[in-house]
Amino acid sequence: MTVQRVSRSSRSTAFKEVRSRLRSRGLRWTPQRRALIDVLSATDGHVTGAELVELCRDRDPETTPSTVYRTLEVLEEIGLVKHSHGRDGRQEFHIAPASEHGHAICENCGEVRELSEGDVAGLVGSLGKRGFAVDLSHLTVGGLCPRCGNSGVPLA
Ligand SMILES: [Zn+2]
Ligand SMILES: [Zn+2]
Ligand SMILES: [Zn+2]
């Protein structure tokens, strides 16, 4: 199993264009939207919309959930943000992932590991043969991590 890390440099390159791309979608570059992007950049991904609303409110108590969700939607449309689903099905947001990835979540401790395309090549390949294109970011697998499951096999 491979852990994918998103490099800081690819993130900052991606975010450089945010302002003009928001404008081209008819959205103003407001301090609240700017705060959301700052907040997102400071996380390691895997943050829920509700958590983002809270983090934004720490900076600007006037921030409304609708501003946060609408901005997330647009950022996702322009490819700077991807969402996946946590154990309880809630959306979790990633900043401009360098590569698509799925998630393996420990049902005991809640630890999240990222799955690369290689990890799930069999599934992606066999579904692909049947004409089904897998959206890797929507693949979430439950199970037990090595610490909780005493399999003795460390996940890379
Ligand atoms: Zn979804
Ligand atoms: Zn665990
Ligand atoms: Zn992830």
Side-chain angles (χ1 to χ4, degrees), residues 106-111 143-149:
C106 176
E107 284 161 359
N108 187 51
C109 70
E111 189 177 307
L144 290 172
C145 76
R147 270 200 314 274
C148 300

Side-chain angles (χ1 to χ4, degrees), residues 14-134:
F15 273 91
K16 236 186 265 175
E17 308 243 324
V18 163
R19 185 178 182 151
S20 61
R21 290 169 92 169
L22 279 177
R23 278 192 173 149
S24 74
R25 297 280 172 138
L27 288 177
R28 281 179 307 130
W29 180 247
T30 64
Q32 289 187 350
R33 295 207 159 99
R34 197 201 180 96
L36 171 63
I37 288 160
D38 282 353
V39 162
L40 265 169
S41 304
T43 69
D44 67 343
H46 313 123
V47 53
T48 65
E51 285 164 350
L52 286 169
V53 169
E54 283 313 304
L55 289 167
C56 287
R57 281 190 164 159
D58 287 346
R59 295 183 175 217
D60 180 355
E62 312 269 283
T63 307
T64 62
S66 63
T67 299
V68 171
Y69 286 105
R70 176 70 189 125
T71 305
L72 284 170
E73 222 171 81
V74 172
L75 291 176
E76 187 152 19
E77 273 170 37
I78 63 181
L80 291 172
V81 164
K82 264 268 176 197
H83 78 265
S84 61
H85 294 269
R87 248 193 318 178
D88 52 7
R90 282 186 311 180
Q91 290 190 338
E92 293 182 348
F93 295 90
H94 295 70
I95 307 141
S99 59
E100 297 277 299
H101 62 265
H103 298 92
I105 304 179
C106 176
E107 284 161 359
N108 187 51
C109 70
E111 189 177 307
V112 179
R113 307 211 174 212
E114 299 192 344
L115 303 174
S116 70
E117 218 161 311
D119 291 326
V120 294
L123 176 70
V124 171
S126 72
L127 284 172
K129 274 186 209 139
R130 286 181 257 160
F132 190 90
V134 174

